[in-house]
Structure formats: structure tokens, C-alpha cells
Amino acid sequence: MITKLLSPELRPIFEKVMEGSRVGDEEALTLYASKDLNGLGTIANVVRERKNGNVATYIHNQYVNYSNHCILACQFCAFGARKRDAHAFEMSADEIVEKARAGLQNGITEIHMVGGLHPSLKAEWYLDLIRRLRALDPNFFVKAFTAVEATHLALRVFKKSIPETLADLRDAGLSALTGGGAEIFDQEIRDQICEGKETGDEWLDVHRTWHKMGMRSTATMLYGHIETHAHRVDHLRRLRELQDETGGFTGFVPFAFEPEGARPGILKNIRHATGFEELKNLAVSRIYLDNFDHITAYWVSLGLPLAQQALNYGVDDLHGTIREEKIFHMAGATTPQQQSCAAMEKAIREAGREPMQRDTWYRRIVSKSPVSNPPTTEQNLPDPALA
């Protein structure tokens, strides 16, 4: 019966998904070309329900952007700055620790921390900061640094190999890497929107190394600029291949380019992706990334109402309460800078899903309690914060 309601191009893909077979690249391009948004949502929700039932999650976390000083000047980025720029900023380690302390008192379980590629901070600054954050509570998750930052730290700051640098960060208490910096993996696209940034293969290799150390990370994609659907499929395929190899990605978090903050050049006059395109991209990602357990709708980019709708298009996670997000808002996002747990749970319930708080590794928190007496999780996995 459901098959008859789908547009003709989606029916064979739906049948393949129902059989549990993997969708290929050409089929992914067919999904992207389809205008049957509800049909895409129907297929994506088959995958979502198999993996997560009717539960949708969120994390109670706090963002800290420690500095926007950056040696790069990516075309799409309104965040990065030279030290002399009017919008440049840098937080002290004491300020960051106090923000985390206040967040812990408010019940957060994770601090999510990224910054620019700082030209002068020393290795010990980073290591000491992580140690101090973890000293606030041994069960506190410190999720920090993109693969781009990790490469910068290895080559310019620690002056060690990437595996050695990642081991130093882990031993100091780093719990997880963030997924930022992936953008679109195709090098021709990267040369136009983020010239000088690490390659897609280098991004993947940092995460591969981190996963082989027994650690976890998220994956992202920046879309809605000059890339084509074929570039998106190539990006998803390379993520799926690495996940086949390591199983280390906890979730996938795509987000649309914010054109208002673009630097003068090739990206300046691009229109923001429509809600239709954003829901489609989430649905296609859910269908194609069959070895990813979770697809996250990043409400900071989408807005909470559209992120709520995304729960009907294959999404099972709404990201976090966040607090004080700067990167998207400096680029022109007009969404709130934080949400309460109550607001997140309300949005999830209104979409017909069962809300549940999660931790950094996307493990469901069964009973809420202070971080000093950590909540139990459904999965009996080793705690990355204690690695």
C-alpha cells in the first residue's frame, strides 16, 4: 500500500530499503533529484524506526568558542579573524573553566569547544585547559576540536605526529572530537571555499586515527553553496566507507551554508537553502548512511520548528541545549543561542516522538541526576570520559 503512494522513482529504492539492502550512489542521486519530499521522509523513517524506535534525543550541553583568531580565511566563514580585526576575541583558560563550572551547576553533561586555528597558543595551554575542565568532575565530557584544529595542533603547536598529538589530548582528558571542518570533501570545491584547509582525506584520516584509539566522534557536511548533488553523495560515501572501517562515528550532523556571513567572492550572492532542501538532505542522509545509528538536526541552523519537523524525515536527534553558540550566529543565523531541556522535550513530544536525554556518545540517559553522580545509560559501553 505504501509503495503506491510513492512517486515512481522512489518505489524500487523503498523496496530495497525494506529488504535491508544498501542504497548505492546512483540511487542516492535519484533521491536527491526527487521532488517527492513526503516519500523521502517515508523511506527515511523506515531506517530511523529500525535503529531508534520512537525515541528522539537531545544533549544538555554548553558551547564554548575559546577564540576566533585563525590563520585561515575560508570564504564561507564569518567567524575567523586576525588578531587586529574588530570582531576578534580570545577567552582565557580561567574564563572557560568558570563557564564550564556554571554549566555543571546547571546540569550540563558536556562542554563542546572549538575555535579558530590560533597562531600563538602553546601546547600546554590546550592540555592544561582540558585537565582543568575534567578536574571539575571526572564524569564531565569534554568534546573539543575539529580535525582541522587537531591537524593544526600537531603540525604547528605540538610539533608531533597526529597520532601522538591525539594521544596527548586523550590522555589529558579529551572525550570526543567534534565533526567540524568536513565541509564538502571534494578538493575542487575546497579549493574555492576553504583554500589552505586540510584535504578531505586528511580530515578522514584524523578521525580514523582517533577511532582506532578507541574513541568516538561526529561527522558533518556543509551544503547549500557551490556543491552539486554528486559532491554530496561523494561526501556521504566517504563517510560511510570510514564508518564501515572503524565504526567510530556516533552521528551525522549536516548543516546549510549561511550566506549572509560569507566573505566577498564566489559565495556572496548564494541564497540560503530552503526548508524543502534541508529536509530532503536529512532524509537522503538517513537513507544512505545505513551504518550510522543517528542523524542529528542542528536546530541552530534549521531553527527549532524546522528541526522538529525533521523528526518526520529520518532524524532521531535534535542536538543540544547549547548556550552561547557563536559560529553560526556570527554568520547571520537568527535562531536563539540556547534552548532549555523543557523546550527540547516539548518539541520532540509535539512531533510524536518520545524525548530522552543522551550523552556525548549518543547513549540514552535513563535516569537524570547530577553529573557528580552520573546518570545510567542503556548501553553498557566504556565511558569515554574515563578513557
Side-chain angles (χ1 to χ4, degrees):
M1 180 64 181
I2 292 177
T3 306
K4 295 180 180 178
L5 299 177
L6 302 175
S7 56
E9 76 277 5
L10 295 184
R11 291 171 190 169
I13 299 175
F14 174 76
E15 291 171 357
K16 192 170 186 178
V17 170
M18 290 299 292
E19 293 169 358
S21 299
R22 173 164 277 188
V23 170
D25 290 7
E26 289 302 318
E27 290 161 317
L29 288 171
T30 298
L31 294 172
Y32 270 123
S34 177
K35 298 189 184 310
D36 184 2
L37 183 61
N38 288 334
L40 290 170
T42 296
I43 301 172
N45 276 330
V46 169
V47 184
R48 175 197 58 76
E49 182 121 3
R50 280 178 182 167
K51 290 182 175 290
N52 298 291
N54 200 47
V55 170
T57 55
Y58 69 95
I59 187 168
H60 191 18
N61 65 347
Q62 176 157 356
Y63 267 33
V64 170
N65 298 120
Y66 59 90
S67 174
N68 66 343
H69 297 176
C70 190
I71 62 175
L72 296 179
C74 297
Q75 282 286 307
F76 61 82
C77 183
F79 177 73
R82 297 292 190 260
K83 284 189 175 183
R84 64 181 178 275
D85 292 342
H87 69 292
F89 70 89
E90 180 178 330
M91 295 177 66
S92 70
D94 288 344
E95 290 175 309
I96 296 168
V97 171
E98 286 309 307
K99 277 188 176 292
R101 193 192 310 277
L104 280 167
Q105 293 172 350
N106 193 45
I108 66 169
T109 63
E110 172 197 275
I111 188 165
H112 182 121
M113 184 173 67
V114 296
L117 306 188
H118 198 287
S120 59
L121 289 175
K122 304 301 182 186
E124 192 55 34
W125 187 90
Y126 293 95
L127 296 175
D128 184 62
L129 175 59
I130 296 171
R131 293 188 195 106
R132 291 179 64 186
L133 290 170
R134 287 297 306 282
L136 294 173
D137 192 288
N139 299 296
F140 189 33
F141 284 80
V142 179
K143 181 177 182 179
F145 312 128
T146 65
V148 184
E149 287 174 274
T151 301
H152 170 74
L153 292 176
L155 299 180
R156 294 174 177 266
V157 182
F158 286 61
K159 295 183 169 38
K160 294 182 177 181
S161 69
I162 288 173
E164 289 172 322
T165 300
L166 291 175
D168 286 348
L169 294 169
R170 179 200 59 190
D171 293 347
L174 184 64
S175 307
L177 284 181
T178 74
E183 323 314 358
I184 287 289
F185 288 145
D186 182 85
Q187 193 55 45
E188 289 188 9
I189 299 297
R190 296 179 84 82
D191 286 342
Q192 295 178 76
I193 68 171
C194 53
E195 185 178 8
K197 184 173 280 190
E198 65 179 353
T199 67
D201 285 340
E202 288 169 334
W203 186 97
L204 290 162
D205 195 52
V206 169
H207 286 267
R208 176 182 290 108
T209 302
W210 185 247
H211 296 168
K212 288 183 176 180
M213 293 165 54
M215 305 303 283
R216 311 297 294 277
S217 61
T218 47
T220 65
M221 175 171 69
L222 178 70
Y223 68 94
H225 41 86
I226 62 171
E227 90 290 351
T228 65
H229 289 161
H231 291 131
R232 294 189 202 177
V233 174
D234 172 72
H235 188 98
L236 294 173
R237 175 182 53 77
R238 292 162 77 174
L239 289 175
R240 190 168 74 174
E241 289 173 350
L242 182 55
Q243 185 73 334
D244 278 342
E245 178 185 341
T246 69
F249 287 121
T250 52
F252 177 60
V253 192
F255 36 75
F257 164 62
E258 294 283 347
E260 185 176 329
R263 300 172 190 265
I266 191 170
L267 299 179
K268 194 60 182 175
N269 296 316
I270 292 176
R271 293 184 178 180
H272 194 285
T274 64
F276 184 98
E277 185 64 26
E278 292 182 289
L279 292 176
K280 175 191 284 189
N281 193 68
L282 287 161
V284 174
S285 300
R286 175 63 288 169
I287 296 164
Y288 186 89
L289 294 175
D290 56 356
N291 55 3
F292 276 67
D293 287 335
H294 305 287
I295 303 294
T296 289
Y298 190 47
W299 67 260
V300 171
S301 173
L302 292 160
L304 190 56
L306 189 60
Q308 179 188 49
Q309 290 299 314
L311 293 171
N312 294 308
Y313 292 87
V315 165
D316 68 282
D317 181 75
L318 292 188
H319 206 278
T321 52
I322 292 180
R323 301 168 64 91
E324 298 184 273
E325 193 280 337
K326 287 187 171 67
I327 295 177
F328 273 80
H329 287 89
M330 289 177 74
T334 58
T335 55
Q337 286 196 314
Q338 67 182 63
Q339 297 287 348
S340 66
C341 291
M344 300 292 277
E345 295 194 1
K346 180 174 183 288
I348 290 169
R349 284 197 186 93
E350 287 178 347
R353 304 279 177 255
E354 177 188 349
M356 190 167 287
Q357 192 175 331
R358 66 165 172 89
D359 69 10
T360 299
W361 279 20
Y362 283 73
R363 298 176 302 185
R364 297 171 183 176
I365 293 176
V366 176
S367 60
K368 299 178 184 178
S369 55
V371 176
S372 57
N373 182 20
T376 57
T377 56
E378 288 190 345
Q379 299 94 330
N380 185 26
L381 297 175
D383 191 336
L386 301 179

